[in-house]
Amino acid sequence: MNKISNGERSTENERYNGSTKAIEIKNLNEYFTNLTSKGIAEQYNSLKFGPSKSTEIGKKAENKMKNRYMDLLPYDDTRVILKNHPKENSEVSDYINANYIDGYKKAKAYISTQGPLERTIIDFWHMIWQEKACKIIMAANIIEDCKKKCEKYWPDTTASYGDITITLQSEKCYLDYTIRNFLLHHKDGTSRHIRQYHFTAWPDHGVPLYPLSLVMLLKAAKKYQPFCEAPLVLHCSAGVGRSGTVMLLDAAIDMAENEGYVDIVSMLAKMRQSRSNLVETVEQFTFVYRALVDYFCGEVTQKSCDEFQTYYNLKESESSKTLLKQQFERLKALISVETSSLSVQSRFYFKAPNSLTGETAHNSDNCKQELNHFYVNGHGKRNAYIVIQYPKVECIHEFWQLAYDVESRIIIVFGHANSQENKYPTYWPESNTLHQGNLKIDYITSELNFGVLIHTFNLRNSVEPQTSRVIKQCHILDWDESEDWPPPKNTIINLFNALETSLKGKPVLIVYKNNPCCAGFICASWIIYRQVIEDRLVDVFTAVRTIRRNQPSFINSLESYQKLYDLASSIVNENNSKL
């Protein structure tokens, strides 16, 4: 394929006219904007759909039960052939519903396979080991639309599949995907590591709302074991629609970054010679275009710490403040669409048994009404925070029961610990021990640091004394939640630094009086902090998108959004000074 010069181009002749054309990346946005839905459909329909080569091996009697869908079988000439299969399997054959697919200037860059069935899990892991694969991309959820799309083929801890024992070493859950790290140990004594990228944001029908989330997943996957020459294993349910879309996008990004132009029509035509029906719908085909436009022609908000400062300084200029406003408006529009079909407040009401509290039914009803809380996701962890309204006197037991049940080690409270009649009672012990049913809260110590008053307690249950734990309650004294504005940036950063060793992977309780938006700012700030500490990345856009998935009222002004950028800059500067 020859690169097309600018002189050979015009907006008109770039439109699809029945022949394949490469599009320069600098012209991609204009091209896609001018490309009508009819034009995209013409491109897509010009490609052959359905099997065009022999699939006889998949039709054999001993192999039929290993196919999820009998009308989606692997081509015989590109299929993955299993070798030295474990003999304990009574259905032994060299067959698995999988094909090698060429990528950009790389033969067998991918293996596209169906989501494993219960009877093919051993085959799947045998293929992973045989091909020396180090990465898996899963583009489906186990259950979708009340139907099983894929068997859960990995363990929660450790399990053996044929000759291979697999141990889950870690799991990090982000807004749109989950990353799992596994250790594979073969019976011959050798071991390997493999990482699974599970994209969870693909809806039952259609395509992901935010294309850049898939692009970012692909970029993250490229950074993991970058010199591994083994094929990238992809699967969804059938291993053709979503898997084909991910492969096509990945290869197109490679082509664009290396050549400066892209030709997804020719690329898909070539891929379909290895496995039929890759990219099953026009919508999936259009999604690839849209993802390329967003990545190469739009604004990518995720930045490395090294490049963030330049990006931040640009945002500070007058001309760029308009861009920040546009980013915030895009964020609001995206969240509005994402949450329209969700129960956005994952809200629960706790009601303790009367036998523990001795309260009347009337007071229990008050607790049910007032002690409400909702979970908020964090960086790499679901339900990292619990945002909860300040408890009334009659609900103090329920508050501590919640802290005990979720094993929280941290409580954040805004403003001075003042009591206004029964409205904001002192629900913690200021000395000695507070008794709440079976729970006992022992006062240990108090200290004032960097504008934060930290009380340390021991929380224990008289019925289960072995479960006692230390819990810290942090009053951010100079943060008046009625003003919406955070305290000095150093106060927040120093607080996060001080609490690092106390989290223990458990939810943080964030208590607000009247305005939950302060809790939203803390949640978003903590996500940004963890981005920098764990991944050396900054993405304020994604941090806010994450918390607003649970509560759309969080970070509801451009000023608050700007202050998160200011805080991110301070976090990066402090972290850089430690390196």
Side-chain angles (χ1 to χ4, degrees):
M1 183 190 307
N2 296 319
K3 187 173 179 179
I4 300 174
S5 68
N6 289 334
E8 295 173 306
R9 292 187 172 278
S10 69
T11 299
E12 191 63 35
N13 69 25
E14 281 178 345
R15 292 179 181 172
Y16 185 71
N17 58 9
S19 60
T20 301
K21 285 187 179 294
I23 303 101
E24 289 190 7
I25 292 305
K26 65 180 182 180
N27 298 325
L28 183 59
N29 188 35
E30 180 186 3
Y31 174 81
F32 182 66
T33 300
N34 292 329
L35 191 63
T36 64
S37 57
K38 180 181 177 182
I40 293 180
E42 287 177 353
Q43 286 190 18
Y44 181 77
N45 293 329
S46 72
L47 303 171
K48 179 174 178 55
F49 195 80
S52 60
K53 295 191 292 184
S54 171
T55 58
E56 294 305 310
I57 303 298
K59 296 175 184 176
K60 287 186 175 182
E62 64 268 27
N63 296 331
K64 281 185 177 181
M65 295 298 289
K66 294 188 174 186
N67 298 306
R68 184 174 289 277
Y69 306 101
M70 279 306 298
D71 58 339
L72 295 170
L73 303 177
Y75 288 146
D76 295 339
D77 63 337
T78 58
R79 74 182 181 93
V80 177
I81 299 173
L82 301 180
K83 304 169 185 176
N84 304 317
H85 201 288
K87 302 305 181 194
E88 64 193 57
N89 188 343
S90 61
E91 300 177 1
V92 165
S93 75
D94 64 8
Y95 177 78
I96 186 170
N97 191 317
N99 292 101
Y100 298 108
I101 315 287
D102 293 343
Y104 169 73
K105 291 187 176 180
K106 181 180 179 181
K108 297 183 178 180
Y110 311 103
I111 289 176
S112 184
T113 185
Q114 67 181 16
L117 298 159
E118 184 176 4
R119 64 174 59 89
T120 66
I121 293 177
I122 291 177
D123 296 337
F124 178 83
W125 285 113
H126 182 79
M127 177 183 72
I128 293 294
W129 186 269
Q130 171 184 297
E131 299 297 322
K132 299 182 173 62
C134 64
K135 310 170 196 179
I136 301 169
I137 291 182
M138 176 177 178
N141 291 305
I142 299 298
I143 303 292
E144 294 178 354
D145 197 22
C146 301
K147 298 176 183 177
K148 181 169 280 191
K149 296 292 185 176
C150 177
E151 198 69 29
K152 183 175 178 292
Y153 55 85
W154 63 91
D156 292 324
T157 52
T158 298
S160 294
Y161 304 94
D163 292 341
I164 303 168
T165 298
I166 300 172
T167 300
L168 174 64
Q169 295 187 306
S170 66
E171 179 179 79
K172 297 185 72 173
C173 302
Y174 299 93
L175 184 62
D176 294 319
Y177 56 89
T178 296
I179 297 176
R180 300 181 180 96
N181 288 301
F182 300 100
L183 174 66
L184 277 59
H185 185 79
H186 198 273
K187 72 173 186 180
D188 65 10
T190 57
S191 298
R192 294 181 198 151
H193 291 92
I194 189 164
R195 180 171 289 181
Q196 181 205 52
Y197 295 84
H198 183 183
F199 191 77
T200 54
W202 213 303
D204 294 347
H205 306 287
V207 295
L209 279 170
Y210 187 52
L212 276 179
S213 62
L214 181 57
V215 175
M216 292 300 102
L217 180 145
L218 291 172
K219 301 296 281 187
K222 275 182 165 51
K223 292 179 182 178
Y224 178 71
Q225 296 195 24
F227 302 108
C228 176
E229 292 298 318
L232 171 62
V233 177
L234 302 101
H235 76 84
C236 43
S237 184
V240 292
R242 304 181 205 186
S243 298
T245 305
V246 176
M247 274 188 292
L248 181 60
L249 176 58
D250 186 63
I253 290 173
D254 285 346
M255 183 180 198
E257 290 181 335
N258 285 274
E259 305 289 348
Y261 63 91
V262 68
D263 183 350
I264 68 171
V265 179
S266 293
M267 193 171 284
L268 180 55
K270 183 178 179 182
M271 286 180 167
R272 282 189 176 178
Q273 293 174 15
S274 298
R275 188 171 175 89
S276 67
N277 294 8
L278 293 175
V279 188
E280 284 187 295
T281 66
V282 174
E283 190 176 15
Q284 291 173 348
F285 185 75
T286 305
F287 174 83
V288 174
Y289 267 124
R290 183 173 293 112
L292 292 171
V293 169
D294 284 357
Y295 181 61
F296 288 105
C297 308
E299 182 186 19
V300 179
T301 56
Q302 184 184 98
K303 305 293 179 184
S304 70
C305 286
D306 294 335
E307 63 183 347
F308 177 76
Q309 249 355 90
T310 301
Y311 178 74
Y312 172 75
N313 292 335
L314 177 64
K315 289 288 180 194
E316 285 294 281
S317 68
E318 284 299 321
S319 60
S320 296
K321 286 182 179 178
T322 301
L323 295 178
L324 186 65
K325 182 178 180 180
Q326 291 173 349
Q327 186 183 111
F328 185 64
E329 292 300 319
R330 181 163 59 100
L331 175 67
K332 289 197 298 183
L334 178 64
I335 293 298
S336 176
V337 174
E338 286 186 317
T339 59
S340 61
S341 61
L342 296 174
S343 176
V344 297
Q345 291 185 330
S346 302
R347 189 177 293 277
F348 301 86
Y349 296 95
F350 179 87
K351 183 178 179 182
N354 288 345
S355 60
L356 288 180
T357 63
E359 300 292 346
T360 65
H362 173 72
N363 283 338
S364 294
D365 289 341
N366 284 341
C367 293
K368 184 176 180 181
Q369 177 183 354
E370 298 297 337
L371 189 61
N372 59 73
H373 58 281
F374 54 88
Y375 291 99
V376 178
N377 293 333
H379 178 68
K381 182 175 175 57
R382 291 195 181 98
N383 301 337
Y385 313 105
I386 299 176
V387 177
I388 182 168
Q389 194 164 22
Y390 202 104
K392 288 187 174 182
V393 170
E394 60 268 23
C395 298
I396 290 176
H397 171 79
E398 284 74 11
F399 177 89
W400 285 110
Q401 187 68 51
L402 174 65
Y404 180 84
D405 289 343
V406 301
E407 301 180 21
S408 180
R409 265 69 170 179
I410 303 292
I411 301 172
I412 304 288
V413 185
F414 301 99
H416 287 269
N418 59 336
S419 178
Q420 300 176 10
E421 298 177 350
N422 263 359
K423 192 173 184 181
Y424 303 122
T426 302
Y427 58 80
W428 59 92
E430 296 180 301
S431 63
N432 301 321
T433 298
L434 174 68
H435 296 263
Q436 289 292 320
N438 291 332
L439 299 178
K440 294 177 174 57
I441 306 96
D442 304 314
Y443 173 86
I444 299 177
T445 186
S446 298
E447 58 181 333
L448 180 63
N449 286 318
F450 42 83
V452 179
L453 178 61
I454 301 179
H455 297 301
T456 303
F457 309 114
N458 185 55
L459 178 59
R460 54 196 172 98
N461 189 329
S462 58
V463 178
E464 301 173 321
Q466 72 278 6
T467 61
S468 67
R469 65 184 69 97
V470 172
I471 187 166
K472 294 184 177 183
Q473 178 163 280
C474 307
H475 293 265
I476 308 178
L477 299 180
D478 51 355
W479 194 342
D480 184 350
E481 67 177 43
S482 65
E483 297 178 359
D484 254 6
W485 300 116
K489 296 186 285 292
N490 286 342
T491 297
I492 298 178
I493 296 172
N494 289 332
L495 175 64
F496 292 163
N497 288 341
L499 297 179
E500 270 296 284
T501 58
S502 302
L503 291 172
K504 308 295 184 184
K506 302 303 180 181
V508 175
L509 268 60
I510 304 178
V511 182
Y512 70 94
K513 296 183 177 76
N514 296 309
N515 184 6
C517 291
C518 294
F521 195 95
I522 279 287
C523 293
S525 301
W526 221 324
I527 291 173
I528 294 167
Y529 178 85
R530 297 243 55 86
Q531 289 174 346
V532 174
I533 298 299
E534 294 181 16
D535 301 326
R536 295 285 300 160
L537 295 171
V538 182
D539 192 341
V540 177
F541 184 94
T542 296
V544 176
R545 180 171 166 248
T546 297
I547 65 167
R548 289 185 63 170
R549 175 71 68 84
N550 298 94
Q551 178 49 270
S553 69
F554 282 166
I555 313 299
N556 56 10
S557 70
L558 180 60
E559 291 79 9
S560 295
Y561 193 60
Q562 175 68 61
K563 284 187 178 296
L564 282 174
Y565 265 101
D566 298 340
L567 178 64
S569 176
S570 296
I571 293 172
V572 170
N573 285 335
E574 193 209 64
N575 191 253
N576 285 341
S577 68
K578 294 178 180 178
L579 298 179

